[in-house]
Amino acid sequence: MVSESARAQGVAAKMCENSQQVARELGYLAMQFNFVVETNDGAIRLWQILGFDIVGRLPKAFSHPKQGLVDALVMYKWLN
């Protein structure tokens, strides 16, 4: 997560790319985000651009302050 003032500056992409590189260096073969709120369009779009796929859905797992109960997504990427 990045602060609101840091959004749209590539910070989240750089953090994700760095975490993938470190994971590879440590011998991990895959990476998974266990809880991406379905209303977070920016995060979902970014993770998909960076190669993550939606592999699961947790129904009504998050209590959104305006939309009520919404799903959370599980996103996964093979790192090879």
Side-chain angles (χ1 to χ4, degrees):
M1 293 172 57
V2 296
S3 68
E4 192 168 332
S5 63
R7 290 189 183 146
Q9 298 178 34
V11 174
K14 288 190 185 306
M15 289 189 331
C16 185
E17 289 166 344
N18 179 260
S19 67
Q20 291 177 68
Q21 183 58 40
V22 170
R24 285 184 188 97
E25 290 168 4
L26 292 172
Y28 288 89
L29 300 177
M31 184 172 283
Q32 179 173 311
F33 293 116
N34 289 324
F35 202 96
V36 181
V37 178
E38 72 172 346
T39 58
N40 191 342
D41 295 327
I44 294 167
R45 184 172 42 258
L46 175 60
W47 304 149
Q48 288 177 323
I49 288 169
L50 293 173
F52 287 80
D53 294 313
I54 296 169
V55 297
R57 180 175 293 272
L58 308 169
K60 300 180 183 177
F62 181 75
S63 182
H64 190 280
K66 294 180 181 172
Q67 298 184 27
L69 294 175
V70 297
D71 294 355
L73 306 174
V74 178
M75 300 186 76
Y76 175 88
K77 178 180 181 178
W78 185 252
L79 292 175
N80 69 347

